Amino acid sequence: MHPNIQHLIDLQVVDLRLAELRAQLAGFPRRLAELDSRLSAARKQLDTSKEALLTSLKDRKKYELDAEQWKEKVRKYKDQSGSVKTNEAYKALQHEVTYAEGEVAKAEDRLLDRMMAGEEFERQVKAAERSLKEIEAAVSAERQGLEKEQSALQKELEVDEARRSEATASIPEDLLDHYHRIARRHDGVALAVVRDETCSMCRVRVRPHVYQKLRREGCEEIFHCETCTR
């Protein structure tokens, strides 16, 4: 076997692990953003519930005032009915009283609806507050876990980068460049094992005379797969 093949094999193992580590580390911003998104959604839900409750309370005050205004009109018309002098005027006031009493009933119905809706909105606010508290605790724990995992992977990356520097120091520069060119074309895999006279990466059979050379004891030649060039 060529004296540098084992160094290349060691280098490829490190390179593949480095690629895996970098891919994992690259995913952390997205994972952290997903946590922020969950938290933001919970806060938005609480804000929406509070806004709905506030609107309901404003409507309730409006309908309370509306009902009181119509009740005041009823009292006013009834007071006036005692001082009218004609039957027509009395009937007109009675008509106004009846109309005002109808408006009182409508306003009180609206007020009752708002009161019932307000109770539901209060329930929604309390539920949203509980949900936010639970999500905040869960996100905090998950964030700590992610940061711990990220830190561990970063340290492992630094160790493997140091290992890579050691591995490349033993490989001639021209051979190292050759390795990098092939690796770039094949997702970081520049070397392939030959099993059963076949390239393990592209599954194409190796020519018989090449296979015999590969098996020859003391062979120091570097061979390339005719199909994938590994």
Side-chain angles (χ1 to χ4, degrees):
M1 182 173 69
H2 190 283
N4 286 307
I5 288 294
Q6 187 58 55
H7 295 313
L8 290 171
I9 291 172
D10 294 340
L11 176 60
Q12 180 166 278
V13 169
V14 175
D15 278 348
L16 291 176
R17 179 54 183 163
L18 283 171
E20 181 183 350
L21 289 171
R22 288 176 180 130
Q24 291 180 27
L25 287 167
F28 279 95
R30 174 186 56 78
R31 296 168 70 183
L32 290 168
E34 287 173 354
L35 293 182
D36 290 337
S37 179
R38 283 171 54 192
L39 199 55
S40 177
R43 287 171 176 161
K44 183 177 180 181
Q45 180 59 50
L46 177 58
D47 290 342
T48 300
S49 298
K50 285 182 175 180
E51 183 64 28
L53 176 59
L54 181 60
T55 300
S56 179
L57 291 174
K58 289 179 179 178
D59 288 343
R60 178 175 172 175
K61 290 180 180 179
K62 173 185 174 183
Y63 295 145
E64 285 176 346
L65 179 61
D66 197 24
E68 284 302 317
Q69 288 176 338
W70 283 110
K71 286 179 182 179
E72 180 61 28
K73 288 183 179 181
V74 170
R75 287 192 291 269
K76 176 183 175 182
Y77 293 144
K78 285 184 176 180
D79 289 342
Q80 290 176 354
S81 65
S83 60
V84 295
K85 300 185 184 310
T86 65
N87 192 43
E88 289 77 7
Y90 179 80
K91 287 182 179 180
L93 281 174
Q94 286 301 110
H95 176 74
E96 294 296 335
V97 168
T98 300
Y99 179 80
E101 287 177 339
E103 292 301 314
V104 168
K106 291 177 183 178
E108 289 181 337
D109 286 342
R110 291 193 294 267
L111 177 59
L112 181 60
D113 288 341
R114 284 298 89 193
M115 291 174 66
M116 294 176 63
E119 291 176 356
E120 173 61 20
F121 290 135
E122 287 178 356
R123 185 194 66 77
Q124 291 178 5
V125 167
K126 291 178 180 178
E129 288 174 339
R130 288 194 301 271
S131 178
L132 176 59
K133 188 175 181 179
E134 292 171 358
I135 290 173
E136 283 177 337
V139 165
S140 178
E142 289 181 43
R143 186 182 299 279
Q144 289 179 9
L146 283 177
E147 289 173 349
K148 185 177 179 180
E149 182 183 350
Q150 185 179 25
S151 178
L153 288 174
Q154 185 62 44
K155 289 179 181 178
E156 188 175 349
L157 179 71
E158 292 169 1
V159 170
D160 283 343
E161 285 176 338
R163 287 177 55 200
R164 188 183 196 282
S165 295
E166 293 176 3
T168 55
S170 304
I171 303 172
E173 187 175 343
D174 59 339
L175 184 57
L176 188 60
D177 289 341
H178 197 49
Y179 164 86
H180 286 149
R181 285 197 300 272
I182 298 173
R184 280 194 294 269
R185 292 199 298 268
H186 298 292
D187 297 322
V189 181
L191 287 83
V193 176
V194 175
R195 293 192 182 95
D196 299 325
E197 302 182 37
T198 302
C199 173
S200 61
M201 299 306 299
C202 68
R203 311 308 302 171
V204 171
R205 290 184 65 82
V206 177
R207 292 176 182 271
H209 72 279
V210 173
Y211 184 66
Q212 291 303 319
K213 287 183 180 180
L214 281 168
R215 290 172 51 85
R216 189 179 302 154
E217 186 176 352
C219 176
E220 294 187 356
E221 187 177 350
I222 291 179
F223 296 90
H224 288 274
C225 174
E226 294 181 353
T227 304
C228 69
T229 73
R230 291 184 180 90

